[in-house]
Each structure stands twice: as C-alpha cells, then as structure tokens.
Amino acid sequence: MNVLLLGSGGRENALAWKIAQSPLLDRLYIAPGNPGTASLGKNLSLNIVDFGQVEAAVIAYQIELLVIGPEAPLVAGLTDYLKHSEKTPDLLIVGPGAIGAQLEGSKDFAKSFMMRHQIPTAAYQSFYANQFAEAVNFLDTLNPPYVIKADGLAAGKGVVICIEKQEAINTLDDMLLKGRFGKASGKVVIEEFLNGIELSVFVLTDGKQFCLLPEAKDYKRIGEGDKGPNTGGMGAISPVPFANESFLKKVISRIIEPTINGLAVENIDYKGFIFFGLINVDNNPMVIEYNARMGDPETEVVIPRIAEDILPLLIETAKGELKTGKVMTDSRYAATVMMVSAGYPGDYIKGNPITIKGIDTTDLVFHAGSALHPATGQLVTTGGRVLAVTAYGMNVEDAFHKAYQTVRNISFEGAYYRRDLGKDLANISVD
Ligand code: AMP
Ligand code: GLY
C-alpha cells in the first residue's frame, strides 16, 4: 500500500516512523515532511491546504491511504473535497470532514455538542461582537478566574485565563471588538474555570467504533514549574500515573462513548483521530477541548507505546471497519523532551546549525522544526520547537532521565528545554 502523510512536525515524524515499520507498506510519502521523515519515506514539497496540489500528488504517486496530521487542512475541508473528487474515487482517508473537524475548529460547536450529549465539561456561554454587554454581564455569574476562548483556530493561543474581572473585560474587548485573532475571535466562549490536573486521551474512530490509544500528559508552559506563556507543548509522558483503570473507565463511559454515539446520532461522518483534552476534577474527568487530530508532542510518546502494526488500524478506520477495543500497548513509559529555539514561544532566530553526536539507533529523535540548509546540507533550526527527544523507561523518572541523556548529545545555539518534566507527577496520589 502507498501512503501519503500530511504535515511537517514531530507528530508526523513519529507517525511516519511507525507507518514505515509496517509490512503492509509499499511506499511512504510525507508532505511537506522534514529531515526526520526524509529517512523514512519520500518528502513531497506541496502546500497541504491547497486541495488541488494534494489531489495531484495522490494521483501521481498512486496513493491508497491519506493520513492528515494537522488541523488546518481538516477544518478547511480537504477530506470532503477528496471524497467528492471523481479523480480520487478509491482513496482511503484518515481525518474527518469539515463538520467533524468543527469539534476542534469551533469551541462553540464543541461545547454545544457536549451539551447535547451530556458530556461533562465546564459551564459556558458564547457571545458575538454585538453581544459585548451581555458577555460582560455573564462574567458576574462566574467566580474568577475567568476562562475566555476565541471560538476558532488560533494556533493554540486563543485561550486566556484572567484572574481579575477588568482583565477579562479587556480580553473580551481585544477579542470581540479589536479582532485580536481575526475571524477566530468574532465569537468567544466564556466558561467556568476548572481546577485539576490535565491529561489527554486519544482514539482512532470510524464514527461508530473506536480504538483506544495510550493516554498522555503534555507540558504546555515554557518555564519550569509550569510558569510563563503557553507553548505548543514542551514535553510529554505516557502512561499517566493517575489515569488508573477506574479513572479510564469513567473516561470511556462518560466521555468517549457519548462522543462517538453523538457523532453517529448526528450523522457526522468521522474517520480519524480524536484527541480528548481532559481535566481530572476530584477523580472525575471533564472535557477541556477536543482536537480532530493527534497532539504534538503527545504523539511522540503515544505512538512509540503502540505495540502493534498501526497500518491495519488506519485502514480499518478509513474503511469504517474498526472494532471497538484497545490498541496493544508497550508497558514501558515513554517520555519526550522538546528542544526549542531561544525566544520561543515569542520570536526566535532560525538557521542555527544543529549538532547531534553519539546517538544510538534506539534513541528516538523526532524532528519538528529543522531543515537541511539548501547550500551546505547542514541540519539547521527552522522552528520554535526544533526536536522532540523520546526515550523509554521503567517509570516516569527513568524515561525522562534517559530522554535527558540523549538531549545532552544535541546542541544548537540558544537551545532550551525544560529540566523539570515529570517532577510534578511524583507527588500525585493515585486513589
Ligand atoms: P484549550 O486550547 O481549550 O485546550 O485551552 C488551553 C489551556 O487552557 C488548557 O490546556 C487548560 O490548561 C486551560 N483551560 C482551558 N479551559 C479551561 C477551564 N475551563 N478551566 C481551567 N483551565 C482551562
Ligand atoms: N500539545 C497540544 C496539542 O497538540 O494541541
């Protein structure tokens, strides 16, 4: 089977690494890919939100299975376009259509979906720009802190948590009236603040059945001790120690099953990954957000823990032939440490040479924001998040310890990584 994987981050490097191990694979293409995926298949230089370009590549490379990594082409409707194209009639696609992708593309859509299906989530209301006064009044019905979310995609920056009411009013003004996130903040969701520890759970679903993947916890803040601005993710761990069997049972019965049933009842054709961003409130899971794709860097720990061939699962998902169950899982822990450019998540310099020495073949160094210099061929930085270094271990501490050992063999000017990953989990009691 020929497979085309869309995306260029650490998530796609990890997916490509897994797909490349499948005996069912003939040729793997990644578009646009990165230097990490280049050693696993052939990178294709194309614009993945240009539907015509993706369609042309599917035809030219006789692609049978398309796996869509990031949210932008999903929310834009790439899946619907290719499903309706007469030029790609037999193409199998992992990635929901535009309506299903609204679970991620519109916070308001996701919240009202959860309300319709009694899925536990924070109380909320949505407001348009012409309801600014109502939005301000709604703040009075909540206890601080206030959680204000741009409705649409805002590159992970669309959620603002405000301690003071005036700060919340200013944020509403910025989003609704000053267009801080453009169209994405033409509508906002204001919701109740939930107190707890976050984790993420992932499934592959064909819209009727689902296959549970390993759970993970990511580290969003740039600074140690969870300080400073949010990033795309500075590291991740799987499994999550407090996500014991009884907690995961609640996740399945209260959240995953009602979500999949909701999609089926509403006739939403959904074939792909669902990322459930959860918060554990007194041992009760609640949904913070849905994503219509895998997480990054969560994929860099979830995928290495999958102990069976992923290609049959992807094919069954795309064909609508999935059986409900749980993927075979490696019992070891997997930890990933993200090495980022100085200045990230703000402005950063690109083009710094990367040196990697003495890396073992068992070390998993997934590329996220790297490139080969066009003139010299030297590996250089090109993104905020540069490399995700994953290692296995017997527990949280051991897995991070091994990942940090590998990180120390990698250098580029201004390289930064959090040195405290996993420490927060040492003190959490499991009921
Ligand atoms: P989201 O983009 O919806 O995942 O939100 C980004 C981050 O904001 C989450 O990972 C949480 O840390 C935080 N957050 C979002 N909603 C809430 C909430 N209702 N209560 C507390 N924290 C929240
Ligand atoms: N790491 C969070 C995300 O992928 O959205």
Side-chain angles (χ1 to χ4, degrees):
M1 161 168 276
N2 292 339
V3 178
L4 171 59
L5 170 64
L6 300 185
S8 63
R11 167 182 49 214
E12 286 73 25
N13 194 167
L15 282 165
W17 170 79
K18 186 71 183 168
I19 294 169
Q21 295 170 36
S22 174
L24 299 179
L25 181 73
D26 290 316
R27 305 205 61 157
L28 174 61
Y29 300 90
I30 310 94
N34 64 36
T37 63
S39 62
L40 300 164
K42 183 175 166 49
N43 285 350
L44 305 176
S45 167
L46 51 98
N47 175 359
I48 61 170
V49 286
D50 181 328
F51 300 171
Q53 281 192 31
V54 177
E55 181 182 49
V58 166
I59 297 163
Y61 296 97
Q62 297 171 358
I63 302 301
E64 294 157 277
L65 175 70
L66 177 72
V67 181
I68 304 174
E71 63 277 17
L74 295 169
V75 172
L78 176 62
T79 300
D80 309 283
Y81 174 88
L82 292 170
K83 281 207 168 139
H84 293 124
S85 165
E86 285 166 12
K87 296 185 195 156
T88 55
D90 302 318
L91 179 66
L92 294 172
I93 306 176
V94 174
I99 296 179
Q102 287 294 91
L103 283 182
E104 171 165 5
S106 164
K107 304 269 187 208
D108 180 47
F109 178 94
K111 295 295 284 192
S112 57
F113 178 89
M114 287 184 258
M115 291 296 141
R116 285 197 294 281
H117 302 288
Q118 289 92 45
I119 295 163
T121 189
Y124 83 108
Q125 264 191 44
S126 304
F127 301 92
Y128 286 100
N130 64 3
Q131 298 169 302
F132 184 77
E134 288 98 312
V136 172
N137 288 339
F138 182 64
L139 295 174
D140 289 329
T141 69
L142 300 173
N143 295 319
Y146 307 96
V147 183
I148 302 179
K149 302 184 172 186
D151 178 57
L153 292 183
K157 301 195 171 84
V159 176
V160 182
I161 297 180
C162 309
I163 312 283
E164 304 285 342
K165 187 171 165 205
Q166 191 53 47
E167 197 188 340
I169 296 172
N170 296 345
T171 302
L172 287 173
D173 182 62
D174 267 2
M175 286 200 191
L176 286 174
L177 304 181
K178 300 211 173 85
R180 171 150 156 208
F181 298 106
K183 248 179 75 184
S185 65
K187 192 198 277 188
V188 299
V189 165
I190 305 180
E191 67 182 39
E192 165 200 19
F193 181 83
L194 299 175
N195 214 345
I197 183 158
E198 290 175 59
L199 77 158
S200 303
V201 171
F202 309 88
V203 300
L204 263 170
T205 181
D206 59 6
K208 295 184 178 65
Q209 311 293 324
F210 67 91
C211 175
L212 185 67
L213 306 178
E215 79 283 357
K217 178 187 180 326
D218 81 337
Y219 290 85
K220 288 199 168 64
R221 304 294 195 96
I222 187 75
E224 290 173 11
D226 276 328
K227 302 259 161 47
N230 264 337
T231 68
M234 295 297 293
I237 180 79
S238 175
V240 179
F242 64 84
N244 57 18
E245 210 183 311
S246 87
F247 184 80
L248 286 174
K249 264 194 183 152
K250 292 180 199 167
V251 171
I252 291 173
S253 63
R254 299 180 191 175
I255 292 169
I256 300 178
E257 287 173 353
T259 300
I260 309 291
N261 291 339
L263 292 170
V265 167
E266 298 193 21
N267 278 321
I268 298 175
D269 182 22
Y270 197 113
K271 296 184 168 64
F273 292 99
I274 305 180
F275 165 145
F276 299 84
L278 307 178
I279 189 160
N280 177 355
V281 182
D282 301 326
N283 276 318
N284 291 312
M286 299 183 74
V287 179
I288 291 275
E289 65 164 347
Y290 288 117
N291 291 311
R293 53 167 175 89
M294 283 299 289
D296 194 350
E298 292 90 335
T299 308
E300 290 94 303
V301 292
V302 170
I303 289 289
R305 293 194 61 235
I306 295 181
E308 63 180 285
D309 187 358
I310 198 169
L311 208 39
L313 292 172
L314 296 172
I315 295 167
E316 287 163 22
T317 298
K319 283 188 172 166
E321 294 173 359
L322 204 58
K323 284 170 215 71
T324 284
K326 190 172 180 299
V327 79
M328 275 173 62
T329 305
D330 188 320
S331 62
R332 289 174 297 175
Y333 282 69
T336 198
V337 176
M338 194 60 88
M339 299 184 72
V340 307
S341 298
Y344 175 78
D347 293 339
Y348 51 84
I349 293 172
K350 294 183 184 178
N352 284 331
I354 303 171
T355 313
I356 304 183
K357 51 175 196 229
I359 296 283
D360 206 83
T361 47
T362 56
D363 291 325
L364 300 174
V365 179
F366 297 121
H367 291 241
S370 75
L372 297 180
H373 190 283
T376 63
Q378 158 83 48
L379 188 67
V380 296
T381 63
T382 186
R385 294 193 294 171
V386 178
L387 297 167
V389 179
T390 297
Y392 295 105
M394 296 324 293
N395 53 42
V396 174
E397 198 187 354
D398 185 38
F400 274 117
H401 177 71
K402 293 199 167 99
Y404 284 128
Q405 277 178 331
T406 305
V407 164
R408 284 194 279 275
N409 289 325
I410 303 175
S411 57
F412 54 89
E413 201 182 315
Y416 168 77
Y417 57 92
R418 275 181 60 168
R419 289 165 172 77
D420 66 333
L421 302 179
K423 298 223 166 96
D424 57 327
L425 294 172
N427 305 321
I428 292 188
S429 61
V430 175
D431 72 338

